Amino acid sequence: MYFSLGKVALITLLAGLANAAPKGHADQKKLLSWDEAYSKAEALVSKMSLEDKVGMATGSGWGLDNCVGNTYAGNSTDFPSLCLQDGPLGIRFADNATAGPAAITTAATFDRDLMLKRAHYLGKESYGKGVNFQLGPCLDIYRGPYAGRAWEAFGEDPYLQGVAGALTVKGIQSEGVIATAKHFILNNQELNRHTSSSNVDDRTLREVYLWPYARVVEEGVGSVMCSYNRVNHTYACENEYTINTILKGELGFRGAVQTDWFAHMETVQSAKAGVDIEMPASIISPCLTRVPGAHWGPNLTQAVKDGKVSEDRVTNMATRIAAAWYKMGQDKDFPETTLRSFNRSEAPTVVVMDDHAKIVREVGAAAVVLLENDDNILPLNEEKLSKIALIGSDAGPNPDGLNSCADQGCDNGTLAMGWGSGAVDYPYIVTPKEGIEKQAGGSIDITYSYDDWDLVKAANVASDADVAIVFSTSDSGEEYIVVDGNVGDRNNLSLWNNGDELIKAVADANQNTVVVIHSVGPVLMPWIDHPNIKAVVWPGLPGQETGNSLADVLFGKVNPSGRLPYTIAKKEGDYNVKPSNESDVNYIEKLEVGYKHFDANNIEPLYEFGYGLSYTSFKYSDLKVKTTKKEDALVKATVTVNNDGDVDGAEVVQAYIGFPESAGEPPKLLRGFEKVFIKKGKKSKVSFTFGKTELSIWDQEWTVPSGEYKLYIGASSRDIRQTATFSL
Ligand code: NOJ
């Protein structure tokens, strides 16, 4: 712990005073409808000067204010400067804020309640620090396993991404903060992200990449960030088709489109295409002078005067921004912005963490995917153990100090988030070592070896322990930081820091070896058939409570129920997508993303999408299906799930749809999941409803194909326990 109790108490007291407003707002929970918000916004904006409307749409410059982006306050009417701040897992450049689980780990819970709980605390913390726009959730589909920033989003499946994205928007916005869905669209690799063109057909665009945006727009998301890349050769932030036609037209998005940072390259086309906010809008001069609006600001005002952009378009920008602001209730008592990004120290200390660590710990434990558990070696039985060996740098702290790498751009010590603008500072971290020590109790002797390269020591420490737990990592992030030669994207899918050798050395030395891997995504496991490796534990990127969440599962306080939000292949060549170094990144795999590729091409993965073990077992029976005429409930299904094992636990019941052959879809698509907690010996009836949304394909428009469908209900995308057919 950093401070003495007295200091914590003092800070909390001060924070309590500064935070008087957030509580009141959070209790309201009722947001305005878009119509209500628009009528207020239109009334306000109708009184604004052209310059003020342009100012609302223009950033005040990178590094020149207290947030990563700020807009200008109005003069003609009383409209404040708005603060835009990263990111998807917490508040970047903030102190006294929570560093929780990454989105990819949240997705692995397959738990709607936890997704929403996490979103509420994210929103509360941003609100408490006076952040108007939180720059998340990230909805970039995990198109291929090398994608550097995929850990910022919710995995390879659009349905899962859509559910998690919508719940995240709901939680953040109900706390009075405008959520920002990003990066719109086809920003699926870091390599050449500023120049390459992601080329895709209309159907793939809609069914795979747009799907999650459709769900967050339905949830009323206040902002969408257009991405760096080109889409079919036109920059995403100048793309009339993707922004105006699809996002604002087809999906009916009513909030404001903001550019990614410096993704804005000119004045007129972006305005016409439907961009509403230029971010951060500055020309970075060597002496960091404030140059307002690199492309907008006075340039946009002039473009209006010259007749190149209509004033109506600018009025519409300001109206959209003001509408999002009214919708989230930010016109009433919004807290002062107290961020200290870019070393601004003048703001007061505001502690927003509250008891959010509890949610972080709960999500972290619920997200642990148990990949192997031979001889039921887990949970660890304290009574039978006298010595546990912990091996690998990932078990311990960063030797250079907490937050010693800017934006977490390194892989030192335990890995609990990736790097880049989606990373935050840790207020503290409970390492795996600390978490395990706390729960192992005093009678168990714990020995360590942190050096990943000292295989002799690793083997020695492992050899005389009852159980050896060996840790390793694989990291990635955003391209502006290069870590160990990885320019954001992953160079390969191997473990970092000598991981494979370390695991082999430990397994050779101890016949009860447990492997724990903290990774941004899939890794290769050349040691997986080693007879001494009894368990493989996959906790993802759990944030500050990582060690506690892990120990909860290792010692059986929590029965694991996490499921993989992506596919782990047997070998690298089994994946169909690698980052492309060409200027044209062609999405030729079309709908065959992730497990759909493995299913369609009969490739057996090592661990499939949706997979994960439990300390208990579940039996499925009695699947019943009926069709109705109601558009939002065309098919209804129920299935009974029995916990027939020895302990209580949660099961993730997954529903996959097999479309009629004529539809040309991959073999099965996730279209429902429910996590149900069932006491041992008890059963639960799980229901699914599939409406037009779940049963449509894109064929010039969203269409429900006629013919015979299959419904697959199971414990993963390949562990199908019950099937049924129905016709529409
Ligand atoms: C660039 C990143 O792509 C985006 O996700 C982030 O929100 C902005 N930088 C602001 O930091």
Short mmCIF file of all heavy atoms in Angstrom, two decimals, residues 62 68 86 92 135 149 182-183 193 225 228 260-261 421 478, ligand 1:
data_model
loop_
_atom_site.label_atom_id
_atom_site.label_comp_id
_atom_site.label_asym_id
_atom_site.label_seq_id
_atom_site.Cartn_x
_atom_site.Cartn_y
_atom_site.Cartn_z
N TRP A 62 -3.58 18.93 -28.88
CA TRP A 62 -2.99 17.83 -28.10
C TRP A 62 -2.03 18.36 -27.05
O TRP A 62 -1.14 19.16 -27.35
CB TRP A 62 -2.25 16.89 -29.06
CG TRP A 62 -1.50 15.79 -28.36
CD1 TRP A 62 -0.14 15.73 -28.19
CD2 TRP A 62 -2.04 14.62 -27.77
NE1 TRP A 62 0.18 14.57 -27.53
CE2 TRP A 62 -0.96 13.86 -27.24
CE3 TRP A 62 -3.35 14.11 -27.61
CZ2 TRP A 62 -1.13 12.64 -26.58
CZ3 TRP A 62 -3.51 12.90 -26.95
CH2 TRP A 62 -2.43 12.18 -26.45
N VAL A 68 -7.17 14.29 -23.04
CA VAL A 68 -6.51 14.00 -24.32
C VAL A 68 -7.18 14.76 -25.46
O VAL A 68 -6.59 14.95 -26.52
CB VAL A 68 -6.42 12.48 -24.64
CG1 VAL A 68 -5.59 11.75 -23.61
CG2 VAL A 68 -7.79 11.84 -24.83
N ASP A 86 -9.43 8.94 -22.83
CA ASP A 86 -9.34 7.48 -22.90
C ASP A 86 -9.65 6.91 -21.53
O ASP A 86 -9.43 7.59 -20.51
CB ASP A 86 -7.90 7.07 -23.28
CG ASP A 86 -7.60 7.48 -24.73
OD1 ASP A 86 -8.36 7.07 -25.60
OD2 ASP A 86 -6.62 8.21 -24.94
N ARG A 92 -7.28 6.99 -18.53
CA ARG A 92 -5.86 7.14 -18.84
C ARG A 92 -5.29 8.40 -18.17
O ARG A 92 -6.01 9.37 -17.98
CB ARG A 92 -5.71 7.24 -20.36
CG ARG A 92 -4.28 7.25 -20.87
CD ARG A 92 -4.30 7.39 -22.38
NE ARG A 92 -2.97 7.40 -22.96
CZ ARG A 92 -2.72 7.85 -24.19
NH1 ARG A 92 -3.72 8.32 -24.95
NH2 ARG A 92 -1.52 7.84 -24.68
N LEU A 135 -13.60 7.53 -23.98
CA LEU A 135 -13.24 7.01 -25.31
C LEU A 135 -13.24 5.48 -25.31
O LEU A 135 -12.21 4.82 -25.43
CB LEU A 135 -11.91 7.61 -25.75
CG LEU A 135 -11.91 9.15 -25.76
CD1 LEU A 135 -10.57 9.71 -26.20
CD2 LEU A 135 -13.03 9.69 -26.64
N ARG A 149 -4.28 -4.44 -30.90
CA ARG A 149 -5.19 -3.80 -29.97
C ARG A 149 -6.46 -4.60 -29.71
O ARG A 149 -7.39 -4.09 -29.08
CB ARG A 149 -5.56 -2.39 -30.47
CG ARG A 149 -4.37 -1.47 -30.57
CD ARG A 149 -4.78 -0.07 -30.97
NE ARG A 149 -5.49 0.63 -29.91
CZ ARG A 149 -6.03 1.84 -30.06
NH1 ARG A 149 -5.93 2.45 -31.22
NH2 ARG A 149 -6.66 2.42 -29.06
N LYS A 182 -15.60 2.80 -30.79
CA LYS A 182 -14.48 3.01 -31.71
C LYS A 182 -13.88 1.68 -32.12
O LYS A 182 -14.12 0.68 -31.44
CB LYS A 182 -13.43 3.90 -31.04
CG LYS A 182 -12.71 3.24 -29.84
CD LYS A 182 -11.82 4.25 -29.13
CE LYS A 182 -10.93 3.56 -28.11
NZ LYS A 182 -10.08 4.47 -27.36
N HIS A 183 -13.15 1.54 -33.20
CA HIS A 183 -12.75 2.57 -34.15
C HIS A 183 -13.50 2.26 -35.43
O HIS A 183 -13.30 1.18 -36.00
CB HIS A 183 -11.25 2.53 -34.38
CG HIS A 183 -10.46 2.61 -33.07
ND1 HIS A 183 -10.16 1.52 -32.30
CD2 HIS A 183 -9.96 3.68 -32.42
CE1 HIS A 183 -9.48 1.90 -31.23
NE2 HIS A 183 -9.35 3.20 -31.27
N ARG A 193 -1.52 1.52 -40.10
CA ARG A 193 -2.92 1.89 -39.84
C ARG A 193 -3.29 3.26 -40.39
O ARG A 193 -4.46 3.55 -40.59
CB ARG A 193 -3.24 1.81 -38.34
CG ARG A 193 -2.52 2.84 -37.49
CD ARG A 193 -2.99 2.79 -36.05
NE ARG A 193 -2.29 3.77 -35.23
CZ ARG A 193 -2.57 4.01 -33.97
NH1 ARG A 193 -3.53 3.36 -33.35
NH2 ARG A 193 -1.89 4.91 -33.29
N MET A 225 -16.18 7.06 -32.89
CA MET A 225 -14.91 7.59 -33.37
C MET A 225 -14.55 6.94 -34.70
O MET A 225 -14.47 5.71 -34.80
CB MET A 225 -13.81 7.27 -32.34
CG MET A 225 -12.44 7.83 -32.69
SD MET A 225 -11.12 7.19 -31.60
CE MET A 225 -11.53 7.95 -30.05
N TYR A 228 -8.38 5.52 -38.29
CA TYR A 228 -7.27 6.04 -39.10
C TYR A 228 -7.28 5.53 -40.54
O TYR A 228 -6.92 6.23 -41.47
CB TYR A 228 -5.93 5.60 -38.48
CG TYR A 228 -5.59 6.28 -37.18
CD1 TYR A 228 -5.34 5.54 -36.03
CD2 TYR A 228 -5.48 7.66 -37.12
CE1 TYR A 228 -4.99 6.16 -34.84
CE2 TYR A 228 -5.14 8.29 -35.93
CZ TYR A 228 -4.90 7.53 -34.79
OH TYR A 228 -4.56 8.16 -33.63
N ASP A 260 -10.56 9.95 -34.91
CA ASP A 260 -9.45 9.48 -34.08
C ASP A 260 -8.39 10.59 -34.11
O ASP A 260 -8.42 11.50 -34.95
CB ASP A 260 -8.90 8.13 -34.55
CG ASP A 260 -8.10 7.43 -33.45
OD1 ASP A 260 -7.67 8.09 -32.48
OD2 ASP A 260 -7.90 6.20 -33.56
N TRP A 261 -7.45 10.49 -33.18
CA TRP A 261 -6.50 11.59 -32.95
C TRP A 261 -5.56 11.77 -34.15
O TRP A 261 -4.82 10.85 -34.51
CB TRP A 261 -5.75 11.32 -31.65
CG TRP A 261 -6.43 11.93 -30.45
CD1 TRP A 261 -5.84 12.74 -29.53
CD2 TRP A 261 -7.80 11.82 -30.05
NE1 TRP A 261 -6.76 13.15 -28.59
CE2 TRP A 261 -7.97 12.60 -28.88
CE3 TRP A 261 -8.93 11.18 -30.57
CZ2 TRP A 261 -9.20 12.73 -28.23
CZ3 TRP A 261 -10.15 11.30 -29.92
CH2 TRP A 261 -10.27 12.07 -28.77
N SER A 421 -2.83 3.65 -25.83
CA SER A 421 -3.78 4.62 -25.28
C SER A 421 -4.91 3.93 -24.52
O SER A 421 -5.63 4.57 -23.77
CB SER A 421 -4.37 5.48 -26.40
OG SER A 421 -5.12 4.68 -27.29
N GLU A 478 -0.54 -0.68 -28.97
CA GLU A 478 -0.76 0.29 -30.04
C GLU A 478 0.58 0.65 -30.68
O GLU A 478 1.61 0.70 -30.00
CB GLU A 478 -1.44 1.52 -29.45
CG GLU A 478 -2.09 2.39 -30.49
CD GLU A 478 -2.92 3.51 -29.87
OE1 GLU A 478 -3.24 3.45 -28.67
OE2 GLU A 478 -3.24 4.46 -30.62
C1 NOJ B 1 -5.47 7.06 -30.77
C2 NOJ B 1 -6.25 5.80 -30.50
O1 NOJ B 1 -6.41 5.08 -31.70
C3 NOJ B 1 -7.60 6.07 -29.88
O2 NOJ B 1 -8.18 4.84 -29.51
C4 NOJ B 1 -7.47 6.98 -28.69
O3 NOJ B 1 -8.73 7.20 -28.10
C5 NOJ B 1 -6.83 8.28 -29.13
N1 NOJ B 1 -5.51 8.00 -29.68
C6 NOJ B 1 -6.69 9.29 -28.00
O4 NOJ B 1 -5.68 8.92 -27.15
#
